[in-house]
Amino acid sequence: MRKPKTRRRKPYNTTERNLHMRRAAFVALVGTSAFLIAVTAQAQSPVSTRHWSGQGIAPVYEGFDINPDGTFNMWFGYMNRNFEEEIDVPLGPDNRFEPGGDRGQPTHFSTRRHKDVFKVVVPKDFGASTRLVWSITVRGRTESVAGTLNRVWQIDRLRTTRGGNSENINSNTPPVAQVAVDASTVSVGRAIALHVSATDDGLPKKRRAQEPAGMTVEWAKYRGPGKVAFTTVKQPVVDGQATTTATFGEPGEYTLLAVVDDGSGESAGNFGYHCCWTDVQTTVRVTGPAPARTTEAAAAVTFAKDIAPIFQAKCTRCHHAGTAAPMSLTTYQETRPWARSIRQRVASREMPPWHLDKTVGIRKYKNDLSLTDEEIEKVVQWADAGAPAGNLADMPRPQHFGPEDVWHIGKPDLVVKMDRPHKMYATGPDWWIDYFADTGLTEDRWIKAMEIRPGTRRIVHHVVTYAIEPDAPAGTPETGVQLHEYAVGKYGDTFNENTGRLLKAGTRIRFDMHYFAVGEELLDQSEIAFIFYPKDVKPKYEVRSLSFRNIPNDELEVPPNAVVRHDGYLRLTRPARIDAFQPHMHMRGRGMTLEAINLDNTVSVLSSVDHFDFNWHVSYLYADDVAPLLPAGTVLHIIGIHDNTSANRRNPDPAMWAGFGERSVDDMLQLWINVVYLDEAEFNRLVEQRKSRILNSEF
């Protein structure tokens, strides 16, 4: 057995933490709790939010303590800003100390905050102002921290510095722990047993009890070339003993870490102190061949075999003949001239138009058009290789589009067009005008999906439709109740299962139109399409479209050459399910985040658009099994970012002040949501149903 190295620090979180975070994510979606710690994704970002992946690592200097021989221990930890992604950073230019290079730092970084992970011993004459710098580079961004022996950084690692008294100053001390392994060498894929033995002073005690809180041990990879799977990541230490097994995915040398906590560390939320837990490291050498990998060069990416299937799944619904798209992408001959432009738009995630930050909040949407990282890489490789056609025999079966396929929602049951066309002059100010149309309905119908389509997109800024119902209840506006909205690039709305909107017999539609001049006289006759439930079907839930914004409007101020933030709020007066999220901003809009402020004052991030595009007002439709369920009293909070600088390529003039207004050159901060209000009994039933389904499927 190898003699272990012993260090003390706060528990090291791995898979157990990921399970906890997935449970927390579920709870956040039903609106009763949320994550515990807010994360600043980038130092320069105006918005702090929580990311599942894609973020970096901040090295942290915790402080120093003094050894009996007068040398010093300088303690370091880190913050992995991701909630799910664990990161490996090998020793070298991306993970280094100055001076020293390798100072015993980890190369594997688990999610979130980890205190006092390792120490660097420096001599007694190191000097109070001498700097020891740890730098970590992730995704091209380097973050550094400089540790010194300035007296303000002195800590006590041997006893708790809170809760003691003059009669018992050592009121709690760390466990004494050792690790033993069954063998110091093991083969790839073979399990090896790891044993912990530990003793403790019996402190702290459980609340309202005299028995000790009890020790736990948590295992993690600290260094090593491959993945490590533990049969049990976190477990109680019973009668001073605990055992797990580890299996290794690659040959090489691994350092494993066992963190023994006496109940006063992370389990007590004790982020502010430096006691009482103990780290124990052990080293295992793994032999044998690495998992089989192909040694042949990757096959060339071709249009027929690789690109056409991607385009058919995500692009050709819009990019086929007869649509408003600027080119068709259904064949190689149509696509090849655009290869360079396609590469640029795909690599920058401008196309397909899906502007959500995938590392934040809810990640399942029923209308998701986005490409995966692997699909983006294929498109880039194909374009960089000269856009080869490949073997046409590899082409997927051709798609066939009919006239109804110009509708994103599918073939409509009813199309209602403005009662007359509008002629828009070539030059002049924006124009707002109402048009009307009869639906022709002779019986009530429940709407499953609806979509507005401008007759001439070039001159239509937006359309808001209203339903003017016969015999409407007292107090209903004569101008009707809001039905549906179109802004540039919106796909339409398809409602969740068993959810709809009632369109009554005899209803008239009011088209609230906003036009703008484009240099030539053009005609428009916009229309709205409906897909209905079968006549004998009445959906259980009725959905309504709501919008809210920052108020008052005159507080929306976007000064010249500035990036600014504004906020808006909406309190839910009844339990609700949120089915869709659609940000609305104008040319200076850069991003919008929707949060739920929960009843316990925690915050859950629901969705975040981080690269808003005024040309695409996408309505993001939550998948049925993740649509947020929120109790009455929850506050919906929108955070909007406007960029009035030259870095915003859509900015009409960064030297101009902008404020609230209807024109494209003015701006807005407004969010459209589809909401289903629920009674308490139904809300509680849906919460329990979802909880049961998620826990059974994942845990």
Side-chain angles (χ1 to χ4, degrees), residues 214-510:
M215 292 183 288
T216 59
V217 59
E218 189 166 1
W219 291 93
K221 170 185 158 183
Y222 188 82
R223 286 187 178 186
K227 293 183 178 180
V228 182
F230 299 94
T231 52
T232 305
V233 173
K234 186 175 182 178
Q235 63 190 127
V237 178
V238 180
D239 296 329
Q241 303 292 323
T243 297
T244 191
T245 65
T247 306
F248 303 85
E250 302 275 352
E253 186 168 280
Y254 291 78
T255 300
L256 305 181
L257 182 68
V259 181
V260 181
D261 178 15
D262 67 4
S264 63
E266 183 176 90
S267 60
N270 192 359
F271 276 96
Y273 304 96
H274 299 268
C275 183
C276 294
W277 59 90
T278 300
D279 283 6
V280 189
Q281 291 186 11
T282 190
T283 302
V284 177
R285 183 169 176 267
V286 180
T287 62
R293 294 186 179 90
T294 179
T295 57
E296 297 180 4
V301 177
T302 69
F303 181 83
K305 179 170 61 70
D306 304 287
I307 305 304
I310 296 173
F311 284 6
Q312 284 195 1
K314 300 293 179 69
C315 306
T316 54
R317 182 63 185 267
C318 292
H319 287 271
H320 68 265
T323 68
M327 79 288 288
S328 176
L329 300 177
T330 60
T331 69
Y332 178 74
Q333 289 73 22
E334 292 172 337
T335 306
R336 178 61 184 86
W338 300 95
R340 183 175 298 179
S341 176
I342 290 170
R343 183 202 187 284
Q344 186 272 322
R345 301 293 293 277
V346 166
S348 63
R349 296 186 182 272
E350 294 179 63
M351 282 288 167
W354 191 261
H355 306 119
L356 283 175
D357 184 342
K358 292 185 174 185
T359 71
V360 169
I362 296 169
R363 290 174 285 182
K364 290 178 63 179
Y365 297 84
K366 60 177 58 178
N367 62 331
D368 190 348
L369 288 175
S370 65
L371 302 184
T372 66
D373 292 343
E374 293 75 17
E375 289 171 332
I376 292 173
E377 181 62 25
K378 279 189 177 182
V379 172
V380 170
Q381 288 179 5
W382 171 71
D384 288 347
N391 185 351
L392 294 183
D394 293 331
M395 282 285 291
R397 182 175 300 176
Q399 295 171 298
H400 298 284
F401 299 99
E404 69 276 6
D405 291 311
V406 298
W407 297 99
H408 292 92
I409 59 173
K411 184 178 180 180
D413 297 313
L414 174 67
V415 177
V416 179
K417 185 175 292 191
M418 284 166 33
D419 56 359
R420 70 192 71 176
H422 175 83
K423 180 186 291 186
M424 188 60 188
Y425 39 65
T427 60
D430 288 16
W431 193 258
W432 291 262
I433 188 171
D434 286 349
Y435 285 93
F436 299 86
D438 292 320
T439 61
L441 286 177
T442 58
E443 57 184 331
D444 295 353
R445 295 298 301 268
W446 283 92
I447 303 168
K448 173 62 177 173
M450 53 185 169
E451 179 182 349
I452 295 170
R453 188 174 69 172
T456 305
R457 296 176 188 271
R458 290 176 58 198
I459 61 174
V460 176
H461 178 282
H462 74 253
V463 185
V464 182
T465 55
Y466 295 80
I468 304 174
E469 300 173 346
D471 303 321
T476 302
E478 292 183 2
T479 53
V481 294
Q482 188 172 294
L483 182 63
H484 192 40
E485 178 262 359
Y486 164 84
V488 182
K490 184 170 180 177
Y491 307 145
D493 279 346
T494 300
F495 301 136
N496 282 12
E497 288 302 314
N498 212 11
T499 301
R501 176 82 181 265
L502 182 62
L503 191 63
K504 293 184 177 180
T507 293
R508 299 184 72 217
I509 304 296
R510 176 169 70 92

Side-chain angles (χ1 to χ4, degrees), residues 20 28 86 192 271 282 367 413 446 459 546 556 598 662-663:
H20 167 73
E86 299 186 351
I192 188 172
F271 276 96
T282 190
N367 62 331
D413 297 313
W446 283 92
I459 61 174
L546 301 178
L556 182 73
N598 302 305
E662 299 283 349
R663 301 174 303 169

Side-chain angles (χ1 to χ4, degrees), residues 58-134:
V60 178
Y61 178 56
E62 313 287 5
F64 70 91
D65 60 3
I66 307 173
N67 295 311
D69 63 0
T71 60
F72 299 91
N73 301 316
M74 300 181 72
W75 291 91
F76 291 84
Y78 64 85
M79 173 65 162
N80 177 350
R81 297 188 179 95
N82 300 294
F83 275 84
E84 285 187 353
E85 183 186 11
E86 299 186 351
I87 298 175
D88 287 274
V89 185
L91 298 176
D94 291 342
N95 184 359
R96 68 188 188 279
F97 267 90
E98 296 175 1
D102 182 357
R103 292 280 195 162
Q105 66 266 35
T107 63
H108 180 78
F109 298 87
S110 293
T111 57
R112 312 304 297 143
R113 177 73 164 99
H114 299 278
K115 289 188 68 173
D116 301 349
V117 178
F118 66 100
K119 66 183 179 183
V120 177
V121 180
V122 297
K124 63 178 70 176
D125 60 353
F126 188 74
S129 61
T130 305
R131 291 157 50 96
L132 183 62
V133 180
W134 184 23

